[in-house]
Amino acid sequence: QAPASSPIATRSPLGDLRLVFMSGDWIPLSLASLLHRACPAADIVALGGATEVTVWSNSFGLGEVDPLWRSVPYGRPIWN
C-alpha cells in the first residue's frame, strides 16, 4: 500500500474515468453533482428506455446541472 502522503494514495479512484453511463427512470441531481466532482474529466450520459425489453432508447448528455431541474432530464431518442 502507498504511504498516505503519496499522490497515489490521495488520488480519486474515479478520476481517470472518461465516460460514465447512468440509467433509470429518475436520476437524482445529487448523484449527477457527485459524479461531476469525483470524475471531473468524464462525459456523463443518462440513459433510459423500456424496462421490459432491457434496451436503452434515449440518452441525455449531462453537462452542468440546471438549478431549476428536479431530476436529470429523461433524454432524447437514440438514433438507429
Side-chain angles (χ1 to χ4, degrees), residues 3-80:
S5 61
S6 166
I8 296 171
T10 58
R11 194 173 99 194
S12 168
L14 302 177
D16 291 333
L17 287 178
R18 295 179 296 142
L19 181 61
V20 175
F21 289 128
M22 299 185 296
S23 184
D25 289 336
W26 188 85
I27 299 172
L29 296 178
S30 58
L31 177 58
S33 297
L34 176 70
L35 285 171
H36 277 301
R37 287 192 310 275
C39 319
D43 290 328
I44 300 174
V45 180
L47 299 166
T51 302
E52 61 275 10
V53 293
T54 319
V55 173
W56 289 323
S57 59
N58 66 72
S59 69
F60 182 81
L62 185 60
E64 289 191 34
V65 173
D66 186 326
L68 299 177
W69 292 345
R70 293 179 45 169
S71 66
V72 173
Y74 194 63
R76 301 201 184 282
I78 295 173
W79 289 81
N80 289 334

